[in-house]
Amino acid sequence: MSDTFTVSDAEGAAQLVAFGMRPRLHPSQDREYLDLVRRHREDDAFRFLTERIAFSLGLHVVAVGPGTGMVLAPVSGSVFETRIEDYARSSGHRREGERALHGIIHLAVAVLAFPRPADLADDGYIGRVTARVVDETVREVCRKLGRRAEEAESTEDAPTGAPELERAWRAYARRPQVSETKDERAAPNSTRGMTSRALRFLTEHGLLVMVGDDEAEERVFRTTPRYQMHVRELASTAAFEELIGLGVVPDITGPGGTLHVGLPVAKAGEPQDVPKGGSDV
């Protein structure tokens, strides 16, 4: 690999990073973007240069391919990082317990989108989620954690980290599930409103796509290859494994491929901060 790069090489690498910072743009929509993606895959020196430019900007290259484009995520401390406290504050939620709720919701979206390891490994798999399914699933998680806390108290053998878990599930369970504003929208302080915001946030960042009628009573969101790449990284975290270990996943065999909750079901597959999926740029 050559250590010598031309101005043209640097411009091309920087342009590819710039394309990656437009997550809703797909290589199929721009010929120059597609050509740069191909060059990144075929030219080792160009790939090295591109990744060094991205890193110098505080960005980590998650994946690059014709199906995903350039998928970027901010490194810790980057100006592009969306921290959970900033995300919660922009929702009008400032207390520590409220930040934890947003983190739980984003983790639940990831788990529900790819409930089985095989789904997460399959590049052609498309997951679907709705605000109702995510909300009801998190409430089932709350019930499971509540029962576990009661059992631990009865045996005087509380699990490690139980106080943090207990605060999280109690805060979610106490919050109203559905409440409406004067214009009949879900109030932002309700769990359904918080869940809807998470899905919109991921959509705005090119990680989910809303399908069907925008005026439909229940909006369905499908995953994108970009989101799958982020969730693959998230799947190695302890928080993701903890949620999977609770055995709360949806029945994904419903009509039309939409999600239906079958709770509980046997085990199936920034942020913590908002998951990298939520902090994509």
Side-chain angles (χ1 to χ4, degrees):
M1 181 177 66
S2 173
D3 292 330
T4 303
F5 301 103
T6 67
V7 171
S8 178
D9 292 333
E11 289 177 344
Q15 182 60 56
L16 180 54
V17 173
F19 279 129
M21 295 175 72
R22 300 170 60 190
R24 300 180 74 172
L25 177 66
H26 193 272
S28 63
Q29 299 171 306
D30 189 295
R31 181 55 185 269
E32 182 182 8
Y33 190 6
L34 182 59
D35 289 343
L36 289 170
V37 165
R38 288 172 174 164
R39 184 179 177 187
H40 181 277
R41 301 189 75 183
E42 298 167 0
D43 185 336
D44 291 343
F46 182 74
R47 179 167 58 252
F48 173 81
L49 178 60
T50 302
E51 294 179 357
R52 291 307 301 173
I53 288 175
F55 183 76
S56 69
L57 292 172
L59 297 167
H60 163 59
V61 178
V62 177
V64 181
T68 61
M70 169 165 271
V71 183
L72 298 168
V75 300
S76 179
S78 166
V79 66
F80 299 106
E81 183 179 25
T82 301
R83 298 184 60 80
I84 189 62
E85 50 263 42
D86 299 328
Y87 174 88
R89 190 179 300 112
S90 68
S91 303
H93 303 140
R94 299 178 179 274
R95 290 178 295 184
E96 183 177 351
E98 291 172 322
R99 297 201 298 268
L101 300 187
H102 286 290
I104 289 172
I105 289 170
H106 274 277
L107 282 169
V109 172
V111 170
L112 292 170
F114 303 99
R116 299 168 299 207
D119 301 331
L120 193 55
D122 181 359
D123 290 339
Y125 181 83
I126 297 176
R128 290 177 173 81
V129 294
T130 69
R132 177 186 61 82
V133 168
V134 175
D135 184 36
E136 291 180 359
T137 300
V138 175
R139 287 190 174 275
E140 178 62 15
V141 169
C142 292
R143 286 191 285 271
K144 281 181 173 285
L145 291 175
R147 289 196 295 270
R148 188 160 68 178
E150 291 173 358
E151 292 170 359
E153 288 175 3
S154 66
T155 61
E156 298 183 352
D157 184 23
T160 302
E164 289 77 11
L165 287 174
E166 183 175 342
R167 280 196 296 270
W169 73 256
R170 286 189 185 279
Y172 199 101
R174 285 197 302 265
R175 190 167 290 264
Q177 184 173 22
V178 179
S179 57
E180 294 183 347
T181 59
K182 291 181 179 179
D183 57 359
E184 298 184 343
R185 292 180 300 170
N189 65 338
S190 68
T191 56
R192 190 67 56 85
M194 295 170 71
T195 301
S196 295
R197 183 184 188 280
L199 296 177
R200 290 195 304 271
F201 178 87
L202 294 173
T203 300
E204 291 166 1
H205 287 74
L207 301 169
L208 297 178
V209 175
M210 190 176 72
V211 297
D213 186 358
D214 186 50
E215 300 301 321
E217 181 178 351
E218 184 170 33
R219 296 175 181 177
V220 177
F221 297 80
R222 68 168 174 80
T223 60
T224 65
R226 300 177 68 87
Y227 189 49
Q228 187 174 39
M229 294 297 175
H230 279 287
V231 176
R232 282 175 181 171
E233 290 204 346
L234 175 67
S236 64
T237 66
F240 192 92
E241 291 294 332
E242 173 76 11
L243 204 52
I244 286 294
L246 289 169
V248 183
V249 294
D251 174 6
I252 60 170
T253 60
T258 57
L259 293 171
H260 294 268
V261 176
L263 302 171
V265 179
K267 174 180 177 182
E270 162 166 88
Q272 341 223 29
D273 287 339
V274 174
K276 288 190 174 76
S279 58
D280 185 29
V281 294

